[in-house]
Amino acid sequence: MILTVTLNTALDLTYRVPALRPHTSHRVTEVSERPGGKGLNVARVLAALGHRVTATGLTGGATGRAVRDGLASIAGVVDALVTVEGPTRRTIAVVDATTGDTTQLNEPGPVISPAQWSAFQRTYEELLSSASAVALCGSLPPGVPVDAYAGLVRTARAAGVPVLLDTSGEPLLRGVGARPDIVKPNAAELAGLTGRDDPSGAAGDVRRLGARTVVASLGAEGLLAVNAEGHWRAAPPCRVRGNPTGAGDSAVAGLLSGLVDGLGWQNRLVRAVALSAATVLAPVAGEFDRRGYQELLDRVTVTGPSGPSS
Protein backbone atom coordinates (compact mmCIF):
# COMPACT_ATOMS: atom_id res chain seq x y z
CA MET A 1 0.00 0.00 0.00
CA ILE A 2 1.19 3.53 -0.84
CA LEU A 3 0.31 6.18 1.74
CA THR A 4 -0.33 9.79 0.74
CA VAL A 5 -0.52 12.63 3.26
CA THR A 6 -2.44 15.85 2.55
CA LEU A 7 -2.44 18.05 5.63
CA ASN A 8 -4.26 20.86 3.79
CA THR A 9 -6.93 19.01 1.81
CA ALA A 10 -9.17 20.99 -0.52
CA LEU A 11 -12.33 20.88 -2.54
CA ASP A 12 -11.11 21.64 -6.05
CA LEU A 13 -13.46 23.66 -8.26
CA THR A 14 -12.65 24.12 -11.96
CA TYR A 15 -14.50 26.76 -13.97
CA ARG A 16 -14.18 27.03 -17.75
CA VAL A 17 -14.90 30.40 -19.38
CA PRO A 18 -14.70 31.40 -23.06
CA ALA A 19 -12.06 34.02 -22.22
CA LEU A 20 -10.81 35.39 -18.89
CA ARG A 21 -10.70 39.17 -18.70
CA PRO A 22 -10.15 41.32 -15.59
CA HIS A 23 -12.75 43.81 -14.33
CA THR A 24 -15.73 42.14 -16.02
CA SER A 25 -18.37 39.45 -15.48
CA HIS A 26 -17.96 35.98 -16.95
CA ARG A 27 -20.39 33.27 -18.03
CA VAL A 28 -19.07 29.91 -16.84
CA THR A 29 -19.58 27.21 -19.48
CA GLU A 30 -18.51 24.20 -17.41
CA VAL A 31 -17.97 23.44 -13.70
CA SER A 32 -16.33 20.42 -12.07
CA GLU A 33 -15.81 19.60 -8.40
CA ARG A 34 -13.56 16.96 -6.85
CA PRO A 35 -11.35 16.13 -3.85
CA GLY A 36 -8.11 18.09 -3.99
CA GLY A 37 -4.89 18.99 -2.31
CA LYS A 38 -1.60 17.66 -3.60
CA GLY A 39 -1.63 14.32 -1.80
CA LEU A 40 -5.19 13.50 -2.89
CA ASN A 41 -4.25 14.27 -6.49
CA VAL A 42 -1.29 11.89 -6.10
CA ALA A 43 -3.57 9.21 -4.64
CA ARG A 44 -6.03 9.52 -7.54
CA VAL A 45 -3.30 9.05 -10.14
CA LEU A 46 -1.69 6.14 -8.28
CA ALA A 47 -5.05 4.37 -8.08
CA ALA A 48 -5.59 4.90 -11.81
CA LEU A 49 -2.22 3.20 -12.37
CA GLY A 50 -3.45 0.17 -10.42
CA HIS A 51 -1.80 0.75 -7.03
CA ARG A 52 -3.47 0.29 -3.64
CA VAL A 53 -3.52 3.69 -1.97
CA THR A 54 -4.49 5.01 1.44
CA ALA A 55 -5.08 8.75 1.73
CA THR A 56 -4.71 10.47 5.07
CA GLY A 57 -4.59 14.09 6.18
CA LEU A 58 -6.91 16.63 7.78
CA THR A 59 -10.44 17.53 6.71
CA GLY A 60 -13.52 19.14 8.23
CA GLY A 61 -16.77 21.04 7.79
CA ALA A 62 -19.17 20.91 4.85
CA THR A 63 -16.39 21.12 2.29
CA GLY A 64 -14.58 18.33 4.12
CA ARG A 65 -17.68 16.14 3.81
CA ALA A 66 -17.78 16.91 0.08
CA VAL A 67 -14.11 15.90 -0.17
CA ARG A 68 -14.81 12.57 1.55
CA ASP A 69 -17.88 11.93 -0.61
CA GLY A 70 -15.76 12.46 -3.70
CA LEU A 71 -12.97 10.29 -2.36
CA ALA A 72 -15.43 7.42 -1.82
CA SER A 73 -16.09 7.35 -5.58
CA ILE A 74 -12.42 6.78 -6.48
CA ALA A 75 -11.77 3.07 -6.88
CA GLY A 76 -8.59 1.90 -5.18
CA VAL A 77 -8.28 4.75 -2.68
CA VAL A 78 -8.95 4.10 1.03
CA ASP A 79 -10.12 7.11 3.07
CA ALA A 80 -8.09 7.46 6.29
CA LEU A 81 -8.57 11.23 6.69
CA VAL A 82 -8.68 12.65 10.21
CA THR A 83 -11.64 14.92 11.00
CA VAL A 84 -10.98 18.41 12.38
CA GLU A 85 -13.37 21.15 13.49
CA GLY A 86 -12.61 23.87 10.93
CA PRO A 87 -13.87 23.77 7.33
CA THR A 88 -11.64 22.36 4.61
CA ARG A 89 -10.51 25.00 2.12
CA ARG A 90 -11.56 25.40 -1.51
CA THR A 91 -9.29 25.95 -4.49
CA ILE A 92 -10.67 27.51 -7.66
CA ALA A 93 -9.11 27.06 -11.09
CA VAL A 94 -10.47 29.30 -13.87
CA VAL A 95 -9.58 27.93 -17.30
CA ASP A 96 -9.55 30.33 -20.26
CA ALA A 97 -10.88 28.27 -23.19
CA THR A 98 -9.31 30.64 -25.73
CA THR A 99 -5.72 30.46 -24.49
CA GLY A 100 -5.80 27.30 -22.39
CA ASP A 101 -4.26 29.24 -19.51
CA THR A 102 -5.40 28.73 -15.90
CA THR A 103 -5.81 31.22 -13.03
CA GLN A 104 -5.66 29.61 -9.58
CA LEU A 105 -7.22 30.87 -6.30
CA ASN A 106 -6.26 28.98 -3.10
CA GLU A 107 -7.85 29.45 0.33
CA PRO A 108 -5.62 29.05 3.44
CA GLY A 109 -7.29 26.11 5.22
CA PRO A 110 -8.68 25.53 8.75
CA VAL A 111 -6.85 26.30 11.99
CA ILE A 112 -5.55 23.04 13.52
CA SER A 113 -5.36 22.70 17.31
CA PRO A 114 -2.50 20.87 19.09
CA ALA A 115 -4.92 18.07 20.06
CA GLN A 116 -6.00 17.61 16.45
CA TRP A 117 -2.39 17.54 15.30
CA SER A 118 -1.54 14.89 17.91
CA ALA A 119 -4.50 12.78 16.76
CA PHE A 120 -3.25 12.93 13.20
CA GLN A 121 0.26 11.88 14.21
CA ARG A 122 -1.11 8.80 15.94
CA THR A 123 -3.08 7.84 12.82
CA TYR A 124 -0.03 8.40 10.63
CA GLU A 125 2.16 6.11 12.75
CA GLU A 126 -0.46 3.36 12.58
CA LEU A 127 -0.79 3.61 8.80
CA LEU A 128 2.97 3.44 8.23
CA SER A 129 3.01 -0.14 9.52
CA SER A 130 1.47 -1.37 6.25
CA ALA A 131 2.90 1.21 3.82
CA SER A 132 5.44 0.47 1.08
CA ALA A 133 6.10 4.20 0.50
CA VAL A 134 4.72 7.53 1.69
CA ALA A 135 4.26 10.92 0.03
CA LEU A 136 4.08 14.06 2.19
CA CYS A 137 2.49 16.72 0.04
CA GLY A 138 1.43 20.34 0.01
CA SER A 139 1.07 23.32 2.28
CA LEU A 140 0.51 23.33 6.04
CA PRO A 141 -2.82 24.62 7.36
CA PRO A 142 -2.70 27.26 10.10
CA GLY A 143 -1.77 25.84 13.50
CA VAL A 144 0.36 22.95 12.25
CA PRO A 145 4.02 23.39 13.34
CA VAL A 146 6.40 24.61 10.65
CA ASP A 147 8.63 21.58 11.30
CA ALA A 148 5.71 19.15 10.91
CA TYR A 149 7.10 17.51 7.78
CA ALA A 150 10.51 17.04 9.39
CA GLY A 151 8.85 15.06 12.16
CA LEU A 152 6.78 13.00 9.70
CA VAL A 153 9.89 12.24 7.63
CA ARG A 154 11.73 11.00 10.73
CA THR A 155 8.76 8.83 11.72
CA ALA A 156 8.67 7.23 8.27
CA ARG A 157 12.42 6.62 8.28
CA ALA A 158 12.22 5.03 11.73
CA ALA A 159 9.54 2.69 10.34
CA GLY A 160 11.74 1.82 7.34
CA VAL A 161 9.29 3.36 4.83
CA PRO A 162 10.71 5.33 1.84
CA VAL A 163 9.43 8.91 1.99
CA LEU A 164 8.93 11.59 -0.68
CA LEU A 165 8.48 15.22 0.36
CA ASP A 166 6.73 17.77 -1.88
CA THR A 167 6.24 21.13 -0.19
CA SER A 168 7.84 24.59 -0.20
CA GLY A 169 9.33 27.37 1.91
CA GLU A 170 10.33 26.84 5.54
CA PRO A 171 8.48 23.48 5.83
CA LEU A 172 10.61 22.23 2.92
CA LEU A 173 13.84 23.51 4.46
CA ARG A 174 13.05 21.86 7.80
CA GLY A 175 11.92 18.67 6.08
CA VAL A 176 15.06 18.35 3.97
CA GLY A 177 17.13 18.32 7.14
CA ALA A 178 15.33 15.14 8.24
CA ARG A 179 16.84 13.32 5.19
CA PRO A 180 13.84 12.29 3.06
CA ASP A 181 14.53 9.76 0.30
CA ILE A 182 13.18 12.11 -2.40
CA VAL A 183 12.24 15.78 -2.47
CA LYS A 184 10.40 17.26 -5.45
CA PRO A 185 10.60 21.05 -5.58
CA ASN A 186 10.03 23.16 -8.69
CA ALA A 187 12.68 25.52 -10.03
CA ALA A 188 11.35 28.51 -8.07
CA GLU A 189 11.23 26.52 -4.83
CA LEU A 190 14.80 25.33 -5.42
CA ALA A 191 15.97 28.90 -5.96
CA GLY A 192 14.12 30.08 -2.87
CA LEU A 193 15.67 27.32 -0.78
CA THR A 194 19.28 27.81 -1.94
CA GLY A 195 19.53 31.30 -3.45
CA ARG A 196 20.82 29.77 -6.71
CA ASP A 197 19.14 30.09 -10.11
CA ASP A 198 20.98 27.09 -11.61
CA PRO A 199 18.68 24.09 -10.94
CA SER A 200 21.48 21.53 -11.15
CA GLY A 201 23.70 23.39 -8.70
CA ALA A 202 20.75 24.13 -6.43
CA ALA A 203 19.75 20.46 -6.40
CA GLY A 204 23.27 19.58 -5.31
CA ASP A 205 22.98 22.10 -2.48
CA VAL A 206 19.69 20.53 -1.34
CA ARG A 207 21.34 17.12 -1.30
CA ARG A 208 24.04 18.50 0.96
CA LEU A 209 21.30 19.80 3.25
CA GLY A 210 20.04 16.23 3.67
CA ALA A 211 17.89 15.01 0.77
CA ARG A 212 19.03 11.73 -0.76
CA THR A 213 17.53 12.45 -4.19
CA VAL A 214 16.27 15.76 -5.56
CA VAL A 215 13.80 15.66 -8.46
CA ALA A 216 13.12 19.19 -9.67
CA SER A 217 10.16 20.15 -11.85
CA LEU A 218 11.33 22.43 -14.67
CA GLY A 219 7.93 23.18 -16.19
CA ALA A 220 7.73 22.51 -19.91
CA GLU A 221 11.35 21.29 -19.85
CA GLY A 222 10.48 18.25 -17.73
CA LEU A 223 12.39 16.96 -14.72
CA LEU A 224 15.93 17.09 -13.34
CA ALA A 225 17.02 14.35 -10.92
CA VAL A 226 20.20 14.50 -8.83
CA ASN A 227 21.44 11.86 -6.39
CA ALA A 228 24.59 9.92 -5.49
CA GLU A 229 24.41 8.04 -8.82
CA GLY A 230 24.47 11.17 -10.96
CA HIS A 231 22.31 13.69 -12.84
CA TRP A 232 19.41 12.93 -15.20
CA ARG A 233 17.21 15.16 -17.34
CA ALA A 234 13.88 13.92 -18.69
CA ALA A 235 11.69 15.95 -21.04
CA PRO A 236 8.46 15.56 -23.03
CA PRO A 237 8.81 15.49 -26.83
CA CYS A 238 7.17 18.91 -27.25
CA ARG A 239 5.55 21.71 -25.26
CA VAL A 240 2.11 20.65 -24.03
CA ARG A 241 -0.60 23.29 -23.67
CA GLY A 242 -3.56 22.95 -21.33
CA ASN A 243 -4.37 23.06 -17.63
CA PRO A 244 -1.16 22.52 -15.61
CA THR A 245 -2.99 22.14 -12.28
CA GLY A 246 -1.96 18.82 -10.75
CA ALA A 247 0.88 18.15 -13.22
CA GLY A 248 3.47 18.18 -10.44
CA ASP A 249 1.30 15.85 -8.36
CA SER A 250 1.16 13.41 -11.27
CA ALA A 251 4.95 13.53 -11.45
CA VAL A 252 5.06 12.59 -7.76
CA ALA A 253 2.70 9.68 -8.48
CA GLY A 254 4.98 8.54 -11.30
CA LEU A 255 8.04 8.65 -9.05
CA LEU A 256 6.31 6.69 -6.27
CA SER A 257 4.84 4.20 -8.73
CA GLY A 258 8.28 3.59 -10.21
CA LEU A 259 9.79 3.22 -6.76
CA VAL A 260 7.37 0.53 -5.56
CA ASP A 261 7.56 -1.21 -8.96
CA GLY A 262 11.35 -1.44 -8.62
CA LEU A 263 12.17 0.67 -11.69
CA GLY A 264 15.55 2.30 -12.21
CA TRP A 265 15.79 6.07 -12.20
CA GLN A 266 15.60 6.46 -15.97
CA ASN A 267 12.28 4.60 -16.19
CA ARG A 268 10.91 6.33 -13.10
CA LEU A 269 11.56 9.69 -14.72
CA VAL A 270 9.98 8.61 -18.02
CA ARG A 271 6.83 7.57 -16.16
CA ALA A 272 6.77 10.80 -14.13
CA VAL A 273 7.22 13.10 -17.14
CA ALA A 274 4.65 11.24 -19.24
CA LEU A 275 2.09 11.45 -16.43
CA SER A 276 2.82 15.12 -15.83
CA ALA A 277 2.40 16.04 -19.51
CA ALA A 278 -0.73 13.88 -19.82
CA THR A 279 -2.21 15.79 -16.86
CA VAL A 280 -1.75 19.10 -18.68
CA LEU A 281 -3.69 17.56 -21.59
CA ALA A 282 -6.63 16.59 -19.36
CA PRO A 283 -9.56 19.04 -19.16
CA VAL A 284 -9.98 18.75 -15.37
CA ALA A 285 -7.45 19.36 -12.59
CA GLY A 286 -6.06 16.21 -11.01
CA GLU A 287 -6.83 13.89 -13.94
CA PHE A 288 -4.56 12.64 -16.72
CA ASP A 289 -5.27 11.83 -20.35
CA ARG A 290 -4.73 8.06 -20.48
CA ARG A 291 -4.27 7.81 -24.23
CA GLY A 292 -1.84 10.72 -24.15
CA TYR A 293 0.06 9.07 -21.30
CA GLN A 294 0.56 5.82 -23.24
CA GLU A 295 1.73 7.72 -26.32
CA LEU A 296 4.11 9.90 -24.30
CA LEU A 297 5.77 6.94 -22.57
CA ASP A 298 7.60 6.09 -25.80
CA ARG A 299 8.51 9.69 -26.60
CA VAL A 300 9.96 11.08 -23.37
CA THR A 301 13.71 11.68 -23.74
CA VAL A 302 16.14 11.01 -20.88
CA THR A 303 19.81 11.97 -20.69
CA GLY A 304 22.15 10.81 -17.92
CA PRO A 305 23.38 9.89 -15.48
CA SER A 306 26.21 12.36 -16.02
CA GLY A 307 28.44 11.44 -13.11
CA PRO A 308 27.93 11.11 -9.37
CA SER A 309 26.89 13.99 -7.17
CA SER A 310 28.63 14.41 -3.83
Side-chain angles (χ1 to χ4, degrees):
M1 175 269 286
I2 300 175
L3 178 63
T4 70
V5 174
T6 314
L7 297 179
N8 210 5
T9 54
L11 184 64
D12 282 349
L13 303 173
T14 301
Y15 296 153
R16 293 184 67 84
V17 298
L20 183 62
R21 299 185 180 90
H23 315 302
T24 188
S25 297
H26 294 78
R27 186 175 297 278
V28 177
T29 59
E30 183 180 339
V31 180
S32 66
E33 176 182 292
R34 64 195 55 230
K38 295 177 74 63
L40 295 188
N41 289 337
V42 172
R44 183 186 295 110
V45 174
L46 285 168
L49 293 173
H51 294 282
R52 292 190 307 112
V53 188
T54 295
T56 191
L58 304 168
T59 190
T63 47
R65 289 192 293 274
V67 166
R68 301 190 90 147
D69 289 345
L71 203 59
S73 68
I74 304 174
V77 178
V78 174
D79 177 355
L81 295 169
V82 176
T83 301
V84 298
E85 294 177 6
T88 293
R89 66 189 177 129
R90 295 164 297 178
T91 65
I92 300 172
V94 183
V95 181
D96 185 320
T98 301
T99 65
D101 293 333
T102 301
T103 299
Q104 190 80 17
L105 304 172
N106 297 327
E107 295 179 354
V111 176
I112 306 302
S113 70
Q116 291 167 345
W117 176 237
S118 295
F120 169 77
Q121 290 176 291
R122 290 192 295 272
T123 296
Y124 175 71
E125 290 182 24
E126 293 170 2
L127 291 170
L128 282 173
S129 63
S130 55
S132 56
V134 58
L136 309 175
C137 302
S139 61
L140 301 179
V144 172
V146 71
D147 63 350
Y149 281 133
L152 298 181
V153 168
R154 293 188 188 99
T155 301
R157 286 177 51 79
V161 179
V163 56
L164 183 152
L165 176 61
D166 182 14
T167 186
S168 60
E170 188 67 18
L172 174 60
L173 178 60
R174 302 283 188 97
V176 164
R179 298 187 58 79
D181 295 275
I182 305 170
V183 295
K184 198 213 68 62
N186 60 34
E189 290 162 350
L190 263 184
L193 194 61
T194 65
R196 296 181 62 168
D197 292 328
D198 166 37
S200 183
D205 288 348
V206 174
R207 284 201 68 243
R208 285 184 281 276
L209 290 173
R212 295 185 174 188
T213 296
V214 179
V215 180
S217 295
L218 304 180
E221 297 178 15
L223 297 175
L224 163 72
V226 179
N227 61 21
E229 299 174 35
H231 295 59
W232 291 262
R233 283 187 179 266
C238 59
R239 185 179 183 87
V240 179
R241 295 194 64 85
N243 182 0
T245 305
D249 305 330
S250 290
V252 168
L255 294 170
L256 282 177
S257 174
L259 170 66
V260 299
D261 284 346
L263 301 183
W265 271 105
Q266 178 166 324
N267 289 326
R268 290 190 213 180
L269 293 169
V270 167
R271 185 175 291 184
V273 169
L275 280 170
S276 181
T279 298
V280 176
L281 291 172
V284 176
E287 300 284 350
F288 68 93
D289 184 295
R290 298 183 186 232
R291 180 175 178 178
Y293 168 61
Q294 292 298 329
E295 293 175 350
L296 285 160
L297 278 174
D298 294 328
R299 300 175 62 200
V300 172
T301 58
V302 181
T303 57
S306 58
S309 171
S310 60

